[in-house]
Amino acid sequence: MSLTQATGLAASGTSSAKTLVAAFFAALSSDDSTALNEIVDPQGEFWVLSHRRAVPASAWLDGFRHLIRDRAPGGVTFVVSTLTAEDDRVAAVVECHATFDDGRVYENMYHFLISVQGGRIARLWEYGDTLHAERVLRGK
């Protein structure tokens, strides 16, 4: 499915940037690699709080895909509660839900700051509950 089909809009302006970000979280929730490849700039970077550094967007997406396919058979659901856009940035408040194959439940709240350039996600900063993530994702 193309981005335009998924969102009903071409990505431009703050309204379309918010639509693009909403489509990103919908594609993550449905494990739609085709849409994700269209939405995320292949040269993009995602900054992750738990690592305190940026990683290539492709590495973040690969890790996420492995997490879903290897450990969360029911998938991972992202629920966007708030999107705010200004200039090329979109702020997103997002809940994440998953149940892992060992029965552990992951429910985290996130704030993402996302930079949209050229109709694609170019940079993303991820802020979430790192202690909860460590306990559930790594079993500590």
Side-chain angles (χ1 to χ4, degrees), residues 49-72:
L49 181 61
S50 60
H51 300 329
R52 303 265 194 301
R53 65 181 173 87
V55 298
S58 59
W60 189 96
L61 290 169
D62 286 345
F64 179 78
R65 287 179 187 120
H66 287 294
L67 174 71
I68 293 174
R69 294 177 184 148
D70 296 345
R71 300 189 48 214

Side-chain angles (χ1 to χ4, degrees), residues 54-131:
V55 298
S58 59
W60 189 96
L61 290 169
D62 286 345
F64 179 78
R65 287 179 187 120
H66 287 294
L67 174 71
I68 293 174
R69 294 177 184 148
D70 296 345
R71 300 189 48 214
V76 176
T77 302
F78 289 89
V79 178
V80 178
S81 62
T82 305
L83 293 174
T84 306
E86 182 176 316
D87 299 329
D88 69 341
R89 296 173 314 279
V90 178
V93 177
V94 181
E95 294 179 44
C96 179
H97 306 276
T99 301
F100 293 103
D101 51 4
D102 62 3
R104 283 184 286 173
V105 175
Y106 184 73
E107 293 184 339
N108 207 340
M109 292 291 301
Y110 289 96
H111 178 270
F112 292 92
L113 181 60
I114 299 167
S115 174
V116 175
Q117 297 175 358
R120 298 177 99 177
I121 292 175
R123 285 185 216 66
L124 175 145
W125 294 265
E126 171 191 312
Y127 301 90
D129 183 344
T130 56
L131 180 59

Side-chain angles (χ1 to χ4, degrees), residues 6-17:
T7 65
L9 296 170
S12 64
T14 58
S15 177
S16 293

